[in-house]
Amino acid sequence: DRDYQRGGYYDRQPGLHLGGPRTMTTNLVIVTCVVYLAQLLTNNWLTDAWILYKGWYHEPWQAYRLLTYGFLHSPTDLWHIVINMFVLWLFGREVEYRYGRREFLIFYLVAIVVAGLVWSIAEISSPQQSAVLGASGGISAIVILFAMNFPYRTILFMFIIPMPMWLFAVIVVLWDAFGAIQRSGTIACTAHLGGAMFGFLYYQMHWRLERLIPSASFWEHLKPKPKLRVHDPDAEDDTEKAVDEILKKIQEHGRDSLTRRERRILEEASREYQKKRR
């Protein structure tokens, strides 16, 4: 969990880098863009199958939508996915450098689920039928986590106004809170707030989500172990002597001269020899 143990991973400077290993942030951007293309090619079939709609909890088998909605974007609004993926790429890389690939991926996916749950709870009292899609909830969590780690990093608000990251985060949260109160427009502000809350708690509580996911070594321990056998050199010597005597008897008197016990000893010795050769 130490930054200096990342093997040079965190030593990279932010910015565009060509070559080298592809980051998990880039992988998420690619996967989301591929899903968006699939949305367009399937004539909204995938959108309908993955979108998170109000009241999904009445059909518990639809719970997978709590995750899949975060990889969908509006097929009629290209800027929806462009802005989300740009923000994910802008802030996600340094968060990934700080926490590592595996932890970053789990954090992002859990943030999407939490944002979907918060939105679902907020929509219970609404009489209108509604649905939500987009990565904004998970991205809000990343923005807040970035701000908690780098509060005085200067960014350009609206690409023009320089301000510290903590102020930008406050503006974003207040904007979403105002939108959630007004309940106007098509932006799922409650999902944004749910993601932001998760990012804040994650930092404050020092959570490490990958500890909750069994590692490869854990599954190795669950594999059946070979049966242990006690090695007895004296017993092996006795067996070898008995086999030698039996082979000598066969050479002198033929196989038909063997007793039932001698045949059994010879068969067991043969099986043991075959096992050792494998």
Side-chain angles (χ1 to χ4, degrees):
D1 295 332
R2 299 293 186 265
D3 292 336
Y4 55 76
Q5 291 180 331
R6 297 295 183 198
Y9 195 58
Y10 184 62
D11 294 336
R12 293 175 54 188
Q13 295 300 316
L16 179 61
H17 298 274
L18 299 178
R22 195 167 62 202
T23 64
M24 183 58 67
T25 304
T26 303
N27 289 340
L28 288 172
V29 171
I30 292 174
V31 170
T32 306
C33 290
V34 170
V35 171
Y36 185 70
L37 181 61
Q39 287 181 255
L40 300 178
L41 294 177
T42 58
N43 194 25
N44 291 333
W45 175 87
L46 185 62
T47 304
D48 294 337
W50 282 11
I51 198 171
L52 182 63
Y53 58 82
K54 177 184 176 182
W56 60 268
Y57 40 83
H58 295 302
E59 300 172 321
W61 57 89
Q62 302 284 352
Y64 71 90
R65 296 174 182 268
L66 285 169
L67 179 63
T68 56
Y69 85 95
F71 290 89
L72 301 175
H73 288 83
S74 173
T76 60
D77 184 6
L78 182 61
W79 285 108
H80 186 206
I81 187 172
V82 169
I83 294 175
N84 271 353
M85 293 302 98
F86 175 73
V87 176
L88 172 59
W89 180 81
L90 187 65
F91 295 108
R93 292 170 301 154
E94 286 203 64
V95 173
E96 180 182 350
Y97 300 156
R98 173 59 62 92
Y99 293 95
R101 289 170 60 92
R102 177 180 166 87
E103 179 69 15
F104 173 77
L105 175 62
I106 299 173
F107 170 81
Y108 180 73
L109 298 180
V110 173
I112 289 175
V113 173
V114 171
L117 287 172
V118 172
W119 175 85
S120 300
I121 295 172
E123 290 296 310
I124 292 178
S125 61
S126 175
Q128 299 177 348
Q129 293 297 323
S130 56
V132 64
L133 77 173
S136 301
I139 294 173
S140 294
I142 290 176
V143 170
I144 296 302
L145 187 56
F146 183 96
M148 301 297 289
N149 280 281
F150 312 104
Y152 300 105
R153 179 73 59 84
T154 300
I155 66 166
L156 293 178
F157 181 63
M158 304 296 290
F159 298 101
I160 300 174
I161 307 172
M163 67 173 56
M165 188 63 201
W166 69 265
L167 180 57
F168 174 74
V170 169
I171 293 175
V172 169
V173 171
L174 291 179
W175 180 276
D176 285 328
F178 179 79
I181 294 173
Q182 293 294 318
R183 300 185 67 87
S184 60
T186 58
I187 300 177
C189 294
T190 51
H192 297 182
L193 291 174
M197 175 192 67
F198 176 73
F200 177 80
L201 292 176
Y202 176 88
Y203 180 84
Q204 291 292 342
M205 304 298 291
H206 304 287
W207 289 337
R208 286 299 179 272
L209 301 175
E210 63 181 332
R211 296 173 183 170
L212 305 177
I213 307 297
S215 61
S217 60
F218 172 82
W219 297 113
E220 287 292 331
H221 288 306
L222 296 182
K223 290 184 178 180
K225 302 295 188 299
K227 294 182 179 180
L228 297 178
R229 302 181 61 188
V230 179
H231 178 67
D232 189 349
D234 294 335
E236 287 190 0
D237 291 341
D238 293 341
T239 301
E240 289 179 1
K241 291 179 181 179
V243 170
D244 289 339
E245 293 293 332
I246 295 172
L247 293 177
K248 184 177 180 180
K249 184 177 181 180
I250 293 175
Q251 186 179 7
E252 295 178 354
H253 304 287
R255 190 177 183 86
D256 292 339
S257 65
L258 299 181
T259 65
R260 183 178 299 177
R261 177 177 175 277
E262 290 171 336
R263 291 175 183 272
R264 186 173 65 253
I265 292 175
L266 196 61
E267 290 173 357
E268 291 177 355
S270 177
R271 284 196 295 267
E272 290 296 324
Y273 177 72
Q274 293 294 333
K275 289 180 181 178
K276 290 179 180 179
R277 292 191 60 185
R278 291 174 184 173

